[in-house]
Amino acid sequence: MKSYRKVLEFNLPKRRQFVNITPEVDKALRESGIQEGLLLCNAMNITASVFINDDESGLHHDFEVWLEKLAPEKPHSQYKHNGFEDNADAHLKRTIMGREVVVAITQGQLDFGPWEQIFYGEFDGKRRKRVLVKIIGE
Amino acid sequence: MKSYRKVLEFNLPKRRQFVNITPEVDKALRESGIQEGLLLCNAMNITASVFINDDESGLHHDFEVWLEKLAPEKPHSQYKHNGFEDNADAHLKRTIMGREVVVAITQGQLDFGPWEQIFYGEFDGKRRKRVLVKIIGE
Amino acid sequence: MKSYRKVLEFNLPKRRQFVNITPEVDKALRESGIQEGLLLCNAMNITASVFINDDESGLHHDFEVWLEKLAPEKPHSQYKHNGFEDNADAHLKRTIMGREVVVAITQGQLDFGPWEQIFYGEFDGKRRKRVLVKIIGE
């Protein structure tokens, strides 16, 4: 069994932002040389998400509006977590969007349907954040 | 290490529908011959879900009502994604229900609690959709 | 390839409660002797969750309030599942929080960011429940 590990780094200018990281994950897969296996990609920070969906800007706008409806940022005082922090909503939004994805590796490729793309979802940006890629297989 | 891949196909008559796919996933596991490992089962389409819950029709009705409350289909015009599409709500509903499940394989069996069943959740049906089963182990 | 399986048992005094199970999961990892691989940790009951977030009591309060807003327990009669049961809300809450986490194992450690902790989320307590830990790797 082979394994491969890579950390992606982010420091995004906005509080909330989606970044298509499929090319970086695909690069990690090629570096690993793994042909058959499973790939885990997860946020290492608990106010961020890794998820799979469509790379379509209208949909990303809909996600932003929807997450603000389900878990609004303001007023910050509505959350007990916001004593010394102001990011309780980011913990909730990341819960909706998910911490991680697991992707099948087949014949050296991300085994995806036609529209599947991997996104980093930032909900408390303007600081250094990390994503882990771990691949096992052979 | 062994690996096994299988694609399940769907073309459901309704826009939204839940299908218990545990027998098909279990069949794939037996075909694989894998005794110890991990099984990934994921929707290959981004308006569908794979999730684990109870096979109880009352609960499935509750899911439908609840998802329509959290991410209503109509009016279609409330979503920016719905320019040429009408399925933005399906992307949101699948986000709540999840893209994938990972199941432990122990002694050649799906290592489940007593009520765990795997479902395909369709949120934009009446077209061809696919689910991937990937198993690694030995 | 090595594999290791362990079941954690719970019987919590409250209907809803969060328990930090990181020490138990870490103990299972050390028992396994696995240095590189993937660890799956999932609720074996469909009214409970395993998730990763911050061990901060204010945030846990916020989760409780938020889940009650998105999927209220009462009135029990609002859910069709609640014929002989009263726990439909627990199925919905667990859907939001997630059934499982997959964690990378690197150099014999849970490969976590600084604040990541694994929680058992109980949404229908006062009875015996189980969590599965399955580790594969070498």
Side-chain angles (χ1 to χ4, degrees), chain C residues 15-93:
Chain C
R15 183 177 172 107
R16 288 192 288 276
Q17 204 171 330
F18 297 140
V19 180
N20 187 337
I21 59 172
T22 316
E24 284 77 11
V25 175
D26 195 50
K27 182 162 181 282
L29 174 58
R30 280 178 282 119
E31 291 162 2
S32 76
I34 290 171
Q35 296 293 306
E36 297 291 327
L38 292 177
L39 180 150
L40 168 70
C41 183
N42 68 265
M44 299 185 82
N45 299 84
I46 52 192
T47 54
S49 178
V50 171
F51 66 95
I52 287 175
N53 219 304
D54 198 358
D55 197 353
E56 198 280 300
S57 63
L59 181 66
H60 295 186
H61 172 89
D62 295 333
F63 271 127
E64 162 66 19
V65 171
W66 182 63
L67 290 169
E68 267 296 284
K69 193 178 75 173
L70 294 186
E73 179 192 338
K74 294 176 182 172
H76 291 151
S77 61
Q78 75 191 291
Y79 301 112
K80 285 220 173 173
H81 182 61
N82 288 344
F84 298 93
E85 307 268 5
D86 69 359
N87 64 6
D89 71 299
H91 292 267
L92 306 184
K93 288 176 170 107

Coordinates of all heavy atoms in Angstrom, one line a residue, chain C residues 15-93:
Chain C
R15 N -31.5 13.6 26.4 CA -31.9 13.3 25.0 C -30.8 13.8 24.0 O -30.6 13.1 23.0 CB -33.2 14.0 24.7 CG -33.8 13.8 23.3 CD -35.2 14.4 23.1 NE -35.6 14.4 21.8 CZ -36.6 13.6 21.3 NH1 -37.2 12.8 22.2 NH2 -37.0 13.6 20.1
R16 N -30.3 15.0 24.2 CA -29.3 15.6 23.3 C -28.1 15.9 24.1 O -28.1 16.6 25.1 CB -29.9 16.8 22.6 CG -30.9 16.5 21.6 CD -31.3 17.7 20.7 NE -32.0 18.7 21.4 CZ -33.4 18.7 21.5 NH1 -34.1 17.6 21.1 NH2 -34.0 19.7 22.2
Q17 N -26.9 15.5 23.5 CA -25.7 15.7 24.2 C -24.5 15.6 23.3 O -24.6 14.7 22.4 CB -25.6 14.7 25.4 CG -24.7 15.1 26.5 CD -24.9 14.1 27.7 OE1 -25.9 13.5 27.9 NE2 -23.8 13.9 28.5
F18 N -23.4 16.3 23.5 CA -22.2 16.2 22.7 C -21.1 15.6 23.6 O -20.9 16.2 24.7 CB -21.8 17.5 22.1 CG -22.7 18.1 21.1 CD1 -23.0 19.5 21.1 CD2 -23.4 17.3 20.2 CE1 -23.9 20.0 20.2 CE2 -24.3 17.9 19.3 CZ -24.6 19.2 19.3
V19 N -20.4 14.6 23.1 CA -19.3 14.0 23.9 C -18.0 14.0 23.0 O -18.0 13.5 21.9 CB -19.6 12.6 24.3 CG1 -18.4 12.0 25.1 CG2 -20.9 12.5 25.1
N20 N -16.9 14.6 23.5 CA -15.6 14.6 22.8 C -15.0 13.2 22.9 O -14.7 12.7 24.0 CB -14.7 15.6 23.5 CG -13.4 15.8 22.7 OD1 -13.0 14.9 21.9 ND2 -12.7 16.9 22.8
I21 N -15.0 12.5 21.8 CA -14.5 11.1 21.8 C -13.1 11.0 21.2 O -12.6 9.9 20.9 CB -15.4 10.1 21.0 CG1 -15.6 10.6 19.6 CG2 -16.8 10.1 21.7 CD1 -16.4 9.6 18.7
T22 N -12.4 12.1 21.0 CA -11.1 12.1 20.5 C -10.1 11.2 21.2 O -9.4 10.4 20.6 CB -10.5 13.5 20.4 OG1 -11.5 14.4 19.9 CG2 -9.3 13.6 19.5
P23 N -10.1 11.2 22.6 CA -9.2 10.3 23.3 C -9.5 8.8 23.0 O -8.5 8.1 22.9 CB -9.5 10.6 24.8 CG -10.0 12.0 24.8 CD -10.8 12.1 23.5
E24 N -10.8 8.4 22.9 CA -11.1 7.0 22.6 C -10.7 6.6 21.2 O -10.2 5.5 21.0 CB -12.6 6.8 22.8 CG -13.1 6.7 24.3 CD -13.2 8.1 24.9 OE1 -13.1 9.1 24.2 OE2 -13.3 8.1 26.2
V25 N -10.9 7.6 20.3 CA -10.5 7.3 18.9 C -9.0 7.2 18.8 O -8.4 6.3 18.1 CB -11.1 8.3 17.9 CG1 -10.6 8.1 16.5 CG2 -12.6 8.3 18.0
D26 N -8.3 8.1 19.5 CA -6.8 8.0 19.5 C -6.3 6.7 20.1 O -5.3 6.2 19.6 CB -6.3 9.3 20.3 CG -4.9 9.5 20.0 OD1 -4.5 9.6 18.9 OD2 -4.1 9.7 21.0
K27 N -7.0 6.3 21.2 CA -6.6 5.0 21.8 C -6.7 3.8 20.8 O -5.9 3.0 20.7 CB -7.5 4.8 23.0 CG -7.1 3.6 23.9 CD -7.8 3.7 25.3 CE -7.4 2.5 26.1 NZ -8.3 1.3 25.8
A28 N -7.8 3.8 20.1 CA -8.1 2.8 19.1 C -6.9 2.8 18.0 O -6.4 1.8 17.6 CB -9.4 3.0 18.4
L29 N -6.5 4.0 17.6 CA -5.5 4.1 16.6 C -4.2 3.5 17.2 O -3.5 2.8 16.5 CB -5.3 5.6 16.3 CG -4.1 5.9 15.4 CD1 -4.2 5.1 14.1 CD2 -4.0 7.4 15.1
R30 N -3.8 3.8 18.4 CA -2.6 3.3 19.0 C -2.7 1.8 19.1 O -1.7 1.1 18.8 CB -2.3 4.0 20.3 CG -1.6 5.4 20.1 CD -1.3 6.1 21.4 NE -2.6 6.7 21.9 CZ -3.1 6.5 23.1 NH1 -2.5 5.6 23.9 NH2 -4.2 7.1 23.5
E31 N -3.9 1.3 19.5 CA -4.0 -0.2 19.6 C -3.8 -0.8 18.2 O -3.3 -2.0 18.1 CB -5.4 -0.5 20.1 CG -5.7 -0.2 21.5 CD -7.1 -0.1 21.9 OE1 -8.0 -0.4 21.1 OE2 -7.4 0.2 23.1
S32 N -4.2 -0.1 17.1 CA -4.1 -0.7 15.8 C -2.7 -0.9 15.3 O -2.4 -1.7 14.4 CB -4.9 0.2 14.8 OG -4.1 1.3 14.5
G33 N -1.8 0.0 15.8 CA -0.4 0.0 15.3 C -0.3 0.6 13.9 O 0.8 0.5 13.3
I34 N -1.4 1.1 13.3 CA -1.3 1.6 11.9 C -0.6 3.0 11.9 O -0.9 3.8 12.7 CB -2.7 1.6 11.3 CG1 -3.2 0.1 11.1 CG2 -2.8 2.4 10.0 CD1 -4.6 0.0 10.7
Q35 N 0.3 3.1 11.0 CA 1.1 4.4 10.9 C 0.6 5.3 9.8 O 0.7 6.5 9.9 CB 2.6 4.0 10.6 CG 3.2 3.2 11.7 CD 3.4 4.1 13.0 OE1 3.9 5.2 13.0 NE2 2.8 3.6 14.1
E36 N 0.2 4.7 8.7 CA -0.3 5.5 7.5 C -1.6 4.8 7.0 O -1.6 3.6 6.7 CB 0.7 5.4 6.4 CG 2.1 6.1 6.7 CD 2.0 7.6 6.8 OE1 1.1 8.2 6.1 OE2 2.7 8.1 7.7
G37 N -2.6 5.6 6.9 CA -3.9 5.1 6.4 C -5.1 6.0 6.6 O -4.9 7.2 6.6
L38 N -6.3 5.4 6.6 CA -7.5 6.2 6.8 C -8.3 5.6 8.0 O -8.3 4.4 8.1 CB -8.4 6.2 5.5 CG -7.8 6.9 4.3 CD1 -8.8 6.8 3.1 CD2 -7.6 8.4 4.6
L39 N -8.9 6.5 8.7 CA -9.7 6.1 9.9 C -11.1 6.6 9.6 O -11.4 7.7 9.4 CB -9.2 6.7 11.2 CG -9.9 6.4 12.5 CD1 -8.9 6.4 13.6 CD2 -11.0 7.3 12.8
L40 N -12.1 5.6 9.7 CA -13.5 5.9 9.6 C -14.1 5.9 11.0 O -13.9 4.9 11.7 CB -14.2 4.9 8.7 CG -15.7 4.9 8.7 CD1 -16.3 6.2 8.0 CD2 -16.3 3.7 8.0
C41 N -14.9 6.9 11.4 CA -15.6 6.9 12.7 C -17.0 7.2 12.4 O -17.3 8.4 11.9 CB -14.9 7.8 13.6 SG -15.6 7.8 15.3
N42 N -18.0 6.3 12.6 CA -19.4 6.6 12.3 C -20.3 6.2 13.4 O -20.0 5.2 14.1 CB -19.8 5.9 11.0 CG -19.8 4.4 11.0 OD1 -18.8 3.8 10.6 ND2 -20.9 3.9 11.4
A43 N -21.4 6.9 13.5 CA -22.5 6.5 14.4 C -23.1 5.2 13.8 O -23.3 5.1 12.6 CB -23.6 7.6 14.4
M44 N -23.4 4.2 14.6 CA -24.0 3.0 14.1 C -25.6 3.1 14.3 O -26.3 2.2 13.9 CB -23.5 1.8 14.9 CG -22.0 1.5 14.7 SD -21.4 0.0 15.5 CE -21.9 -1.2 14.2
N45 N -26.0 4.2 14.9 CA -27.4 4.5 15.1 C -27.8 5.7 14.3 O -27.0 6.6 14.2 CB -27.7 4.7 16.6 CG -27.4 3.5 17.4 OD1 -26.3 3.3 17.8 ND2 -28.4 2.6 17.7
I46 N -29.0 5.7 13.8 CA -29.4 6.7 12.8 C -30.0 7.9 13.4 O -30.5 8.8 12.7 CB -30.3 6.0 11.7 CG1 -31.5 5.3 12.4 CG2 -29.5 5.1 10.8 CD1 -32.3 4.4 11.6
T47 N -30.0 8.0 14.7 CA -30.4 9.2 15.4 C -29.2 9.8 16.2 O -29.4 10.5 17.2 CB -31.6 8.9 16.4 OG1 -31.1 7.8 17.3 CG2 -32.8 8.5 15.7
A48 N -28.0 9.5 15.7 CA -26.8 10.1 16.3 C -25.8 10.4 15.2 O -26.0 10.1 14.1 CB -26.2 9.0 17.3
S49 N -24.8 11.2 15.6 CA -23.9 11.8 14.7 C -22.5 11.6 15.2 O -22.2 11.5 16.4 CB -24.2 13.3 14.5 OG -23.4 13.9 13.6
V50 N -21.5 11.6 14.2 CA -20.1 11.8 14.6 C -19.7 12.9 13.7 O -19.9 12.9 12.5 CB -19.3 10.5 14.3 CG1 -17.8 10.8 14.4 CG2 -19.7 9.4 15.3
F51 N -19.1 14.0 14.3 CA -18.6 15.1 13.6 C -17.4 15.7 14.2 O -17.0 15.4 15.3 CB -19.8 16.2 13.5 CG -20.1 16.8 14.9 CD1 -19.6 18.0 15.3 CD2 -21.0 16.2 15.7 CE1 -19.9 18.6 16.5 CE2 -21.4 16.7 17.0 CZ -20.8 17.9 17.4
I52 N -16.7 16.6 13.4 CA -15.5 17.3 13.9 C -15.8 18.8 14.0 O -16.2 19.4 13.1 CB -14.4 17.0 12.9 CG1 -13.9 15.5 13.1 CG2 -13.2 17.9 13.1 CD1 -12.9 15.0 12.1
N53 N -15.5 19.3 15.2 CA -15.6 20.7 15.4 C -14.8 21.1 16.6 O -14.0 20.3 17.1 CB -17.0 21.2 15.4 CG -17.2 22.6 14.6 OD1 -16.5 23.5 15.0 ND2 -18.0 22.6 13.6
D54 N -15.1 22.3 17.2 CA -14.4 22.8 18.3 C -14.9 22.4 19.6 O -16.1 22.2 19.8 CB -14.5 24.4 18.2 CG -13.5 25.1 19.0 OD1 -12.6 24.5 19.6 OD2 -13.5 26.4 18.9
D55 N -14.0 22.1 20.6 CA -14.5 21.7 21.9 C -14.7 23.0 22.8 O -13.9 23.3 23.6 CB -13.5 20.8 22.6 CG -14.1 20.1 23.8 OD1 -15.3 20.4 24.2 OD2 -13.5 19.2 24.3
E56 N -15.8 23.7 22.5 CA -16.1 25.0 23.1 C -17.5 25.0 23.5 O -18.4 24.9 22.7 CB -15.7 26.1 22.2 CG -15.5 27.5 22.8 CD -16.8 28.2 23.1 OE1 -17.5 28.4 22.1 OE2 -17.1 28.5 24.3
S57 N -17.8 25.2 24.8 CA -19.2 25.0 25.3 C -20.1 26.0 24.8 O -21.3 25.7 24.5 CB -19.2 25.0 26.9 OG -18.7 26.3 27.3
G58 N -19.7 27.2 24.5 CA -20.6 28.2 23.9 C -21.0 27.8 22.5 O -22.2 27.9 22.2
L59 N -20.1 27.3 21.7 CA -20.4 26.7 20.4 C -21.4 25.6 20.5 O -22.3 25.5 19.7 CB -19.2 26.3 19.6 CG -19.4 25.8 18.2 CD1 -19.9 26.9 17.3 CD2 -18.1 25.2 17.7
H60 N -21.2 24.7 21.5 CA -22.1 23.6 21.6 C -23.5 24.0 21.9 O -24.5 23.5 21.4 CB -21.6 22.6 22.6 CG -20.3 21.9 22.2 ND1 -19.7 20.9 22.9 CD2 -19.5 22.2 21.1 CE1 -18.5 20.6 22.3 NE2 -18.4 21.3 21.2
H61 N -23.6 25.1 22.8 CA -24.9 25.7 23.0 C -25.5 26.2 21.7 O -26.7 26.1 21.4 CB -24.8 26.8 24.1 CG -26.0 27.6 24.3 ND1 -27.0 27.3 25.2 CD2 -26.4 28.7 23.6 CE1 -28.0 28.2 25.1 NE2 -27.7 29.1 24.2
D62 N -24.7 26.9 20.9 CA -25.2 27.5 19.7 C -25.7 26.4 18.7 O -26.7 26.5 18.0 CB -24.1 28.3 19.0 CG -23.6 29.5 19.7 OD1 -24.4 30.0 20.5 OD2 -22.5 29.9 19.6
F63 N -25.0 25.2 18.7 CA -25.4 24.1 17.9 C -26.8 23.6 18.3 O -27.7 23.4 17.5 CB -24.4 22.9 18.0 CG -23.3 22.9 17.0 CD1 -22.0 22.8 17.4 CD2 -23.6 23.0 15.6 CE1 -20.9 22.8 16.4 CE2 -22.5 23.0 14.7 CZ -21.2 22.9 15.1
E64 N -27.0 23.5 19.6 CA -28.3 23.0 20.2 C -29.4 24.0 19.7 O -30.5 23.5 19.3 CB -28.2 22.9 21.7 CG -29.5 22.9 22.5 CD -30.3 21.6 22.2 OE1 -29.8 20.6 21.7 OE2 -31.6 21.7 22.5
V65 N -29.2 25.3 19.9 CA -30.3 26.2 19.6 C -30.5 26.2 18.1 O -31.7 26.2 17.6 CB -29.8 27.7 20.0 CG1 -30.8 28.7 19.5 CG2 -29.7 27.7 21.5
W66 N -29.5 26.1 17.3 CA -29.6 26.2 15.8 C -30.3 24.9 15.3 O -31.2 25.0 14.4 CB -28.2 26.3 15.3 CG -28.0 26.4 13.8 CD1 -28.4 27.3 13.0 CD2 -27.3 25.4 13.0 NE1 -28.0 27.1 11.7 CE2 -27.3 25.9 11.7 CE3 -26.6 24.3 13.2 CZ2 -26.7 25.3 10.6 CZ3 -25.9 23.6 12.2 CH2 -26.0 24.1 10.9
L67 N -29.9 23.7 15.8 CA -30.6 22.5 15.4 C -32.0 22.5 15.8 O -32.9 22.0 15.0 CB -29.8 21.3 16.0 CG -28.4 21.0 15.4 CD1 -27.7 20.0 16.2 CD2 -28.5 20.6 13.9
E68 N -32.4 23.0 16.9 CA -33.8 23.1 17.3 C -34.6 24.1 16.4 O -35.7 23.9 16.2 CB -33.9 23.6 18.8 CG -34.0 22.4 19.8 CD -35.3 21.6 19.5 OE1 -36.4 22.1 19.9 OE2 -35.2 20.5 19.0
K69 N -33.9 25.1 15.9 CA -34.5 26.0 14.9 C -34.7 25.3 13.6 O -35.8 25.4 13.0 CB -33.7 27.3 14.8 CG -34.4 28.4 14.1 CD -33.5 29.6 14.0 CE -32.4 29.5 12.9 NZ -31.6 30.7 12.6
L70 N -33.7 24.6 13.1 CA -33.8 24.0 11.8 C -34.7 22.7 11.8 O -35.3 22.4 10.7 CB -32.4 23.6 11.2 CG -31.4 24.8 10.9 CD1 -30.2 24.2 10.3 CD2 -32.1 25.8 10.0
A71 N -34.7 22.0 12.9 CA -35.4 20.7 13.0 C -36.0 20.5 14.4 O -35.5 19.7 15.2 CB -34.5 19.6 12.6
P72 N -37.0 21.3 14.7 CA -37.5 21.3 16.1 C -38.1 20.0 16.5 O -38.7 19.2 15.7 CB -38.6 22.4 16.1 CG -38.9 22.6 14.6 CD -37.8 22.2 13.8
E73 N -37.8 19.6 17.8 CA -38.3 18.4 18.3 C -39.9 18.4 18.4 O -40.5 17.4 18.0 CB -37.8 18.1 19.7 CG -38.3 16.9 20.4 CD -38.0 16.7 21.9 OE1 -37.0 17.4 22.3 OE2 -38.7 16.0 22.5
K74 N -40.4 19.5 18.9 CA -41.9 19.5 19.2 C -42.6 20.6 18.3 O -41.9 21.5 17.9 CB -42.0 19.9 20.7 CG -41.5 18.8 21.6 CD -41.6 19.2 23.1 CE -41.1 18.1 23.9 NZ -41.0 18.5 25.3
P75 N -43.8 20.4 18.0 CA -44.7 19.3 18.5 C -44.3 18.0 17.8 O -44.1 18.0 16.6 CB -46.1 19.7 18.1 CG -45.9 20.6 16.9 CD -44.6 21.3 17.2
H76 N -44.3 16.9 18.6 CA -44.0 15.6 18.0 C -44.9 15.2 16.8 O -44.5 14.6 15.9 CB -44.0 14.5 19.1 CG -42.9 14.6 20.1 ND1 -43.1 14.2 21.4 CD2 -41.7 15.1 20.0 CE1 -42.0 14.4 22.1 NE2 -41.1 15.0 21.3
S77 N -46.1 15.7 16.9 CA -47.1 15.4 15.9 C -46.9 16.0 14.5 O -47.5 15.6 13.5 CB -48.5 15.8 16.3 OG -48.5 17.2 16.5
Q78 N -45.9 16.9 14.4 CA -45.6 17.5 13.1 C -44.9 16.5 12.1 O -44.8 16.8 10.9 CB -44.7 18.7 13.2 CG -43.3 18.5 13.5 CD -42.5 19.7 13.9 OE1 -42.2 20.6 13.1 NE2 -42.1 19.8 15.2
Y79 N -44.4 15.4 12.6 CA -43.7 14.4 11.8 C -44.4 13.1 11.7 O -44.9 12.5 12.7 CB -42.3 14.1 12.5 CG -41.4 15.3 12.7 CD1 -41.1 15.8 13.9 CD2 -40.9 16.0 11.6 CE1 -40.3 16.9 14.1 CE2 -40.1 17.1 11.7 CZ -39.8 17.6 13.0 OH -39.0 18.7 13.2
K80 N -44.5 12.6 10.4 CA -45.2 11.3 10.2 C -44.5 10.1 10.8 O -45.1 9.1 11.1 CB -45.3 11.1 8.7 CG -46.3 12.0 8.0 CD -47.1 11.2 6.9 CE -48.3 12.1 6.5 NZ -49.0 11.5 5.3
H81 N -43.1 10.3 10.9 CA -42.4 9.2 11.6 C -42.8 9.0 13.0 O -42.6 7.9 13.5 CB -40.9 9.6 11.5 CG -40.0 8.5 12.1 ND1 -39.9 7.2 11.5 CD2 -39.1 8.5 13.1 CE1 -39.0 6.5 12.2 NE2 -38.5 7.3 13.2
N82 N -43.4 10.0 13.6 CA -43.7 9.9 15.0 C -45.1 9.3 15.3 O -45.9 9.8 16.0 CB -43.6 11.3 15.7 CG -42.2 11.8 15.9 OD1 -41.3 11.0 15.8 ND2 -42.1 13.1 16.1
G83 N -45.3 8.1 14.7 CA -46.5 7.3 15.1 C -46.2 6.5 16.4 O -46.8 6.8 17.4
F84 N -45.3 5.6 16.3 CA -44.9 4.9 17.5 C -43.6 5.5 18.2 O -43.2 5.1 19.3 CB -44.7 3.4 17.2 CG -45.9 2.7 16.7 CD1 -46.2 2.7 15.3 CD2 -46.9 2.2 17.6 CE1 -47.3 2.1 14.8 CE2 -48.0 1.6 17.1 CZ -48.3 1.6 15.7
E85 N -43.0 6.4 17.4 CA -41.7 7.0 17.9 C -42.0 8.5 18.2 O -43.0 9.0 17.9 CB -40.7 7.0 16.7 CG -40.4 5.6 16.1 CD -39.3 4.9 16.8 OE1 -38.8 5.4 17.8 OE2 -38.9 3.8 16.3
D86 N -41.0 9.1 18.9 CA -41.0 10.6 19.0 C -39.7 11.2 18.6 O -39.4 12.3 19.0 CB -41.4 10.9 20.5 CG -40.2 10.6 21.4 OD1 -39.2 10.0 21.0 OD2 -40.4 10.9 22.6
N87 N -38.9 10.5 17.8 CA -37.6 10.9 17.5 C -37.3 11.3 16.0 O -36.1 11.4 15.6 CB -36.6 9.8 17.9 CG -36.8 8.5 17.1 OD1 -37.5 8.5 16.1 ND2 -36.0 7.5 17.4
A88 N -38.4 11.7 15.3 CA -38.1 12.1 13.9 C -37.1 13.3 13.8 O -36.2 13.3 13.0 CB -39.4 12.5 13.2
D89 N -37.2 14.2 14.8 CA -36.3 15.3 14.8 C -34.8 14.9 14.9 O -33.9 15.5 14.4 CB -36.6 16.3 15.9 CG -36.3 15.8 17.3 OD1 -36.9 14.7 17.7 OD2 -35.4 16.4 18.0
A90 N -34.6 13.8 15.6 CA -33.3 13.3 15.8 C -32.7 12.8 14.5 O -31.5 13.0 14.2 CB -33.3 12.2 16.9
H91 N -33.5 12.2 13.6 CA -33.0 11.8 12.3 C -32.6 13.0 11.5 O -31.7 12.9 10.7 CB -34.1 11.0 11.6 CG -34.5 9.7 12.2 ND1 -33.9 8.5 11.7 CD2 -35.3 9.3 13.1 CE1 -34.4 7.5 12.4 NE2 -35.3 7.9 13.3
L92 N -33.4 14.0 11.6 CA -33.1 15.3 10.8 C -31.9 16.0 11.4 O -31.0 16.4 10.6 CB -34.3 16.2 10.8 CG -35.7 15.6 10.4 CD1 -36.7 16.7 10.4 CD2 -35.6 14.9 9.0
K93 N -31.8 16.1 12.7 CA -30.6 16.7 13.3 C -29.3 16.0 12.9 O -28.3 16.6 12.6 CB -30.8 16.8 14.8 CG -31.8 17.9 15.2 CD -32.0 17.9 16.7 CE -32.9 19.1 17.2 NZ -34.2 18.7 17.6

